[in-house]
Amino acid sequence: MSTDPRDVRSLAVTTGDVVTAYEARRRSDRRPVLRATPPFSGRMRARLHDPGPGAAAREGDDRDPETGAVHVPPARFVDEGAVPAYPTPDDTEDALRADPDAEFTVERHRERHVAAVEAWREAVADAIADSVVLRLDGDDHRVAVATLGDAGGPGE
Protein backbone atom coordinates (compact mmCIF):
# COMPACT_ATOMS: atom_id res chain seq x y z
CA MET A 1 0.00 0.00 0.00
CA SER A 2 1.18 3.48 -0.88
CA THR A 3 0.30 7.17 -0.95
CA ASP A 4 1.52 7.37 -4.57
CA PRO A 5 -1.31 6.94 -7.10
CA ARG A 6 1.29 5.91 -9.70
CA ASP A 7 1.16 2.49 -8.02
CA VAL A 8 -2.36 2.01 -9.40
CA ARG A 9 -2.51 -0.28 -12.44
CA SER A 10 -6.29 -0.64 -12.71
CA LEU A 11 -9.44 1.09 -11.50
CA ALA A 12 -12.66 -0.83 -10.95
CA VAL A 13 -15.84 1.21 -11.40
CA THR A 14 -19.50 0.34 -11.55
CA THR A 15 -21.10 1.10 -14.87
CA GLY A 16 -23.87 2.89 -12.99
CA ASP A 17 -21.44 5.23 -11.20
CA VAL A 18 -19.81 6.27 -14.48
CA VAL A 19 -23.17 6.83 -16.19
CA THR A 20 -24.60 8.74 -13.22
CA ALA A 21 -21.57 11.05 -12.92
CA TYR A 22 -21.40 11.60 -16.68
CA GLU A 23 -25.11 12.46 -16.85
CA ALA A 24 -24.97 14.77 -13.82
CA ARG A 25 -22.22 16.81 -15.46
CA ARG A 26 -24.41 17.28 -18.53
CA ARG A 27 -27.64 18.12 -16.73
CA SER A 28 -26.47 20.32 -13.85
CA ASP A 29 -23.70 22.43 -12.40
CA ARG A 30 -22.63 19.53 -10.19
CA ARG A 31 -19.16 18.13 -10.81
CA PRO A 32 -19.15 14.52 -9.57
CA VAL A 33 -16.02 12.47 -10.08
CA LEU A 34 -14.91 8.89 -9.70
CA ARG A 35 -12.67 8.86 -6.64
CA ALA A 36 -9.99 6.44 -5.51
CA THR A 37 -8.70 7.01 -2.00
CA PRO A 38 -5.31 6.23 -0.50
CA PRO A 39 -3.67 3.98 0.40
CA PHE A 40 -3.11 3.03 -3.23
CA SER A 41 -2.36 -0.42 -4.61
CA GLY A 42 -2.26 -2.08 -8.02
CA ARG A 43 -6.04 -2.64 -8.13
CA MET A 44 -8.28 0.10 -6.78
CA ARG A 45 -11.99 0.81 -6.67
CA ALA A 46 -13.13 4.26 -7.86
CA ARG A 47 -16.50 5.30 -6.46
CA LEU A 48 -18.93 8.05 -7.32
CA HIS A 49 -18.13 11.19 -5.31
CA ASP A 50 -19.44 14.74 -5.37
CA PRO A 51 -16.73 17.03 -3.99
CA GLY A 52 -19.25 19.85 -3.71
CA PRO A 53 -18.98 23.49 -4.71
CA GLY A 54 -15.63 25.19 -4.46
CA ALA A 55 -13.65 21.94 -4.38
CA ALA A 56 -9.99 22.63 -4.96
CA ALA A 57 -8.40 21.27 -8.10
CA ARG A 58 -4.89 21.75 -9.35
CA GLU A 59 -4.05 22.16 -13.02
CA GLY A 60 -2.55 18.93 -14.37
CA ASP A 61 -3.18 16.97 -11.17
CA ASP A 62 -6.23 14.85 -10.35
CA ARG A 63 -5.33 14.57 -6.67
CA ASP A 64 -7.38 16.28 -4.01
CA PRO A 65 -4.79 18.48 -2.27
CA GLU A 66 -6.44 17.92 1.13
CA THR A 67 -6.96 14.15 1.11
CA GLY A 68 -4.62 12.81 -1.58
CA ALA A 69 -7.57 11.02 -3.19
CA VAL A 70 -7.59 10.84 -6.98
CA HIS A 71 -10.63 12.54 -8.58
CA VAL A 72 -11.18 11.44 -12.18
CA PRO A 73 -13.78 13.28 -14.27
CA PRO A 74 -16.29 10.79 -15.69
CA ALA A 75 -15.72 11.93 -19.29
CA ARG A 76 -12.29 10.29 -19.16
CA PHE A 77 -13.95 6.92 -18.70
CA VAL A 78 -16.14 7.39 -21.80
CA ASP A 79 -15.43 7.35 -25.53
CA GLU A 80 -17.45 10.51 -26.08
CA GLY A 81 -17.46 10.04 -29.86
CA ALA A 82 -19.66 6.98 -29.34
CA VAL A 83 -22.25 8.82 -27.25
CA PRO A 84 -25.11 10.75 -28.87
CA ALA A 85 -26.21 14.15 -27.58
CA TYR A 86 -28.21 14.04 -24.36
CA PRO A 87 -31.93 13.97 -25.28
CA THR A 88 -33.89 17.02 -24.22
CA PRO A 89 -37.65 17.05 -23.71
CA ASP A 90 -37.91 19.44 -26.68
CA ASP A 91 -36.01 17.01 -28.93
CA THR A 92 -38.28 14.18 -27.84
CA GLU A 93 -41.39 16.29 -28.45
CA ASP A 94 -40.19 17.29 -31.92
CA ALA A 95 -39.53 13.66 -32.85
CA LEU A 96 -42.93 12.57 -31.57
CA ARG A 97 -44.76 15.33 -33.43
CA ALA A 98 -42.87 14.40 -36.61
CA ASP A 99 -43.88 10.73 -36.29
CA PRO A 100 -46.83 10.23 -38.69
CA ASP A 101 -47.78 6.98 -36.92
CA ALA A 102 -48.17 8.45 -33.43
CA GLU A 103 -50.51 11.03 -31.98
CA PHE A 104 -48.95 13.51 -29.57
CA THR A 105 -50.13 13.17 -25.99
CA VAL A 106 -48.42 14.32 -22.81
CA GLU A 107 -48.23 10.72 -21.59
CA ARG A 108 -46.73 9.46 -24.88
CA HIS A 109 -44.23 12.34 -24.79
CA ARG A 110 -43.20 11.38 -21.25
CA GLU A 111 -42.85 7.69 -22.19
CA ARG A 112 -40.78 8.48 -25.26
CA HIS A 113 -38.53 10.85 -23.33
CA VAL A 114 -37.95 8.27 -20.60
CA ALA A 115 -37.05 5.74 -23.32
CA ALA A 116 -34.72 8.23 -25.05
CA VAL A 117 -32.87 8.96 -21.80
CA GLU A 118 -32.56 5.26 -21.04
CA ALA A 119 -31.16 4.61 -24.54
CA TRP A 120 -28.66 7.44 -24.00
CA ARG A 121 -27.59 5.91 -20.67
CA GLU A 122 -27.10 2.54 -22.37
CA ALA A 123 -24.96 4.22 -25.04
CA VAL A 124 -22.79 5.77 -22.31
CA ALA A 125 -22.46 2.39 -20.57
CA ASP A 126 -21.45 0.77 -23.86
CA ALA A 127 -18.84 3.50 -24.44
CA ILE A 128 -16.86 3.00 -21.23
CA ALA A 129 -13.20 2.79 -22.18
CA ASP A 130 -10.74 0.01 -21.36
CA SER A 131 -8.30 2.48 -19.82
CA VAL A 132 -8.20 5.96 -18.35
CA VAL A 133 -5.48 8.55 -17.82
CA LEU A 134 -4.75 9.89 -14.36
CA ARG A 135 -3.09 13.32 -14.36
CA LEU A 136 -0.45 13.41 -11.65
CA ASP A 137 1.87 16.39 -11.28
CA GLY A 138 1.46 17.22 -14.96
CA ASP A 139 2.28 13.67 -16.10
CA ASP A 140 -0.14 11.14 -17.54
CA HIS A 141 -0.48 7.75 -15.86
CA ARG A 142 -2.65 5.32 -17.84
CA VAL A 143 -4.49 2.61 -15.92
CA ALA A 144 -6.81 -0.18 -17.01
CA VAL A 145 -10.54 0.10 -16.31
CA ALA A 146 -12.58 -2.83 -15.03
CA THR A 147 -16.36 -2.40 -14.97
CA LEU A 148 -18.42 -3.94 -12.22
CA GLY A 149 -21.91 -4.47 -13.58
CA ASP A 150 -24.69 -1.97 -13.09
CA ALA A 151 -24.79 -1.48 -9.32
CA GLY A 152 -25.86 2.00 -8.37
CA GLY A 153 -27.06 2.98 -11.82
CA PRO A 154 -29.90 5.31 -12.67
CA GLY A 155 -33.33 3.88 -12.18
CA GLU A 156 -32.26 1.24 -9.65
Side-chain angles (χ1 to χ4, degrees), residues 16 121 149-156:
R121 288 174 180 155
D150 295 327
E156 292 189 4

Side-chain angles (χ1 to χ4, degrees), residues 88-102:
T88 67
D90 289 345
D91 294 337
T92 307
E93 179 180 351
D94 291 346
L96 178 56
R97 288 188 186 279
D99 184 345
D101 298 325

Side-chain angles (χ1 to χ4, degrees), residues 9-121:
R9 292 183 314 277
S10 67
L11 285 176
V13 294
T14 65
T15 302
D17 281 355
V18 173
V19 172
T20 297
Y22 190 76
E23 182 176 9
R25 282 188 169 227
R26 267 130 198 85
R27 295 188 55 198
S28 72
D29 291 336
R30 294 176 41 222
R31 292 286 165 244
V33 295
L34 285 296
R35 176 178 75 166
T37 57
F40 297 108
S41 63
R43 293 174 46 163
M44 294 291 300
R45 172 83 185 266
R47 297 178 188 269
L48 180 63
H49 176 71
D50 190 344
R58 297 183 298 180
E59 186 70 29
D61 199 331
D62 290 332
R63 283 178 288 193
D64 179 325
E66 293 181 21
T67 66
V70 175
H71 290 182
V72 185
R76 283 203 223 140
F77 286 89
V78 177
D79 174 5
E80 292 188 289
V83 178
Y86 189 82
T88 67
D90 289 345
D91 294 337
T92 307
E93 179 180 351
D94 291 346
L96 178 56
R97 288 188 186 279
D99 184 345
D101 298 325
E103 179 183 343
F104 179 87
T105 66
V106 172
E107 181 61 22
R108 188 167 288 127
H109 177 225
R110 187 193 69 72
E111 290 169 357
R112 290 240 181 138
H113 187 66
V114 167
V117 170
E118 188 54 39
W120 180 87
R121 288 174 180 155

